[in-house]
Amino acid sequence: MTPWLRRLDARPQAGRILLCFPHAGGAASAYRAWPALVPGDIEPYAVQYPGRETRVREPLIDAMDTLVKEALAAIEPELDRPVTVFGHSMGASVAHEFTLALSRLRPGLVQRLVVSARPGPFAQRAPARPVHERDDAGVRAALDALGGGGGEVLDHPELWELLLPMIRNDFRLIERYRPGSGVLDVDVTAFAGDADPSMRAELIEAWESATTGRFTARVLPGGHFYLHEHLAEVVAAATEPVTPDRVASVKEYPMPESDEITAALSVEGLRASIADVLGVDAAEVTPEAGLFELGLDSMRMMQLSVRWQALGLEVPFAELAEKPTVEAWSELLLGLAAEQS
């Protein structure tokens, strides 16, 4: 078996696989308590990132694209049954990107994505003061604030010295990561602690815009590592049976006619779409009005992007944000449609 995977409990007759991605600074051993709670028809695995535990001599990876590409190449051949993917904190974003990539490669293999303690991709923001740029004391303070066991590490200076490069590496990876515009067609369940100092619990609602599948959000008492106190509940939700009518994939859309594209991306077409997403009358969405002042936000931008992806467009979020008016968007999107036709 690839060093990227640790089988937490051998269950060769199991019909499903649970694949778990660790948090920043974490390793496969973070999931050692899970097998006792996972139903017998599921074989549980944890992903082992390079540079820790059994892979301590391997170089760390500090870029999301590289981590997901290498993980996919190593893990995909091992997946011979339907899969549920789980990730906590940084692991939630890694799990999300992994699921996007795997669903393109093998549509239908992933049945559910479960994410924990991480805002939805279109609600994620770069930190004002990145942890990976702080001195050693600053990194320690950040760990203490999250309540992830930093105090135990501080009691062992040699262990702290060993773990610090890995912890700083993982913060660098997740703090520099920017989600793409891919949208899944897979059931998503999102968890958060109601007192997590790293995020407002309601930000998990933004995961709804990352999929066209069923979405469930659950907020539980506790901080960033709330799942330590609620592990049985989290595992039960992650491993409940999946409704068979769902097919997990990256959403594919039939290509519309050029006249339909032109109409949808015209000023009037965009006014109607934006008004629908904002829940306002189209008369309020004038061609020159500032869309963010009208209530447009990252989640609603994602809802619009799903419609534009259905027209075959790669959505240029940065350019749209520079000139947030219907008139400017229509000119930009029509130009992109002409280039891509």
Side-chain angles (χ1 to χ4, degrees), residues 179-191:
S181 59
V183 178
L184 286 164
D185 184 26
V186 52
D187 292 351
V188 172
T189 300
F191 283 95

Side-chain angles (χ1 to χ4, degrees), residues 11 14 16 34-44 235-236 239-240:
R11 301 175 183 180
R16 293 185 285 160
W34 283 51
L37 299 170
V38 172
D41 66 334
I42 299 175
E43 191 166 47
V235 174
T239 58
E240 64 184 6

Side-chain angles (χ1 to χ4, degrees), residues 6 24 49 56 63 73 75 103 118 125 129 163 177 187 217 220 224 235 239 268 272 303 311 319 321 327 334 338-339:
R6 177 182 292 180
Y49 306 138
V56 69
I75 294 172
S103 295
R118 182 76 176 151
R125 298 290 181 269
R129 187 169 171 249
L163 294 179
Y177 161 65
D187 292 351
L220 297 173
H224 191 65
V235 174
T239 58
E268 291 307 310
Q303 291 171 344
L311 303 176
E319 294 177 59
E327 197 169 56
L334 284 171
E339 290 173 11

Side-chain angles (χ1 to χ4, degrees), residues 27 35 83 241 243 250 259 264 303 337 339:
V83 180
T243 306
V250 175
D259 288 348
Q303 291 171 344
E339 290 173 11

Side-chain angles (χ1 to χ4, degrees), residues 91-258:
S93 286
V94 183
H96 174 226
E97 292 292 344
F98 181 89
T99 301
L100 281 166
L102 181 59
S103 295
R104 291 188 181 100
L105 186 63
R106 292 174 64 183
L109 184 65
V110 178
Q111 294 189 327
R112 177 185 288 122
L113 172 65
V114 184
V115 290
S116 169
R118 182 76 176 151
F122 310 108
Q124 294 171 21
R125 298 290 181 269
R129 187 169 171 249
V131 173
H132 77 269
E133 295 179 356
R134 302 180 193 179
D135 60 17
D136 294 357
V139 176
R140 291 180 178 184
L143 289 179
D144 284 342
L146 291 176
E152 297 176 7
V153 174
L154 290 177
D155 291 336
H156 300 84
E158 292 180 359
L159 181 58
W160 170 250
E161 185 177 351
L162 178 66
L163 294 179
L164 179 59
M166 177 185 71
I167 294 168
R168 191 183 297 278
N169 172 89
D170 289 358
F171 273 110
R172 182 184 302 113
L173 182 151
I174 198 60
E175 290 173 341
R176 297 191 306 184
Y177 161 65
R178 299 294 176 269
S181 59
V183 178
L184 286 164
D185 184 26
V186 52
D187 292 351
V188 172
T189 300
F191 283 95
D194 63 0
D196 188 336
S198 72
M199 61 173 282
R200 301 194 315 276
E202 63 267 24
L203 292 180
I204 61 167
E205 296 287 349
W207 283 102
E208 184 172 12
S209 295
T211 184
T212 57
R214 297 189 182 98
F215 173 72
T216 305
R218 302 181 69 174
V219 178
L220 297 173
H224 191 65
F225 289 93
Y226 72 91
L227 72 173
H228 291 168
E229 289 75 41
H230 302 281
L231 187 57
E233 189 171 349
V234 173
V235 174
T239 58
E240 64 184 6
V242 177
T243 306
D245 65 346
R246 295 295 304 148
V247 176
S249 64
V250 175
K251 190 68 175 177
E252 300 290 343
Y253 299 97
M255 187 57 65
E257 298 294 329
S258 59

Side-chain angles (χ1 to χ4, degrees), residues 251-321:
K251 190 68 175 177
E252 300 290 343
Y253 299 97
M255 187 57 65
E257 298 294 329
S258 59
D259 288 348
E260 182 183 348
I261 296 173
T262 301
L265 301 180
S266 68
V267 169
E268 291 307 310
L270 287 179
R271 287 181 67 197
S273 293
I274 294 167
D276 182 44
V277 166
L278 293 180
V280 301
D281 192 282
E284 297 181 42
V285 188
T286 63
E288 303 83 13
L291 295 177
F292 294 124
E293 281 131 17
L294 288 176
L296 192 70
D297 56 20
S298 58
M299 186 179 297
R300 292 179 175 88
M301 278 277 284
M302 191 56 224
Q303 291 171 344
L304 287 168
S305 79
V306 171
R307 303 183 184 200
W308 298 332
Q309 286 174 339
L311 303 176
L313 292 181
E314 289 295 328
V315 182
F317 286 101
E319 294 177 59
L320 292 169

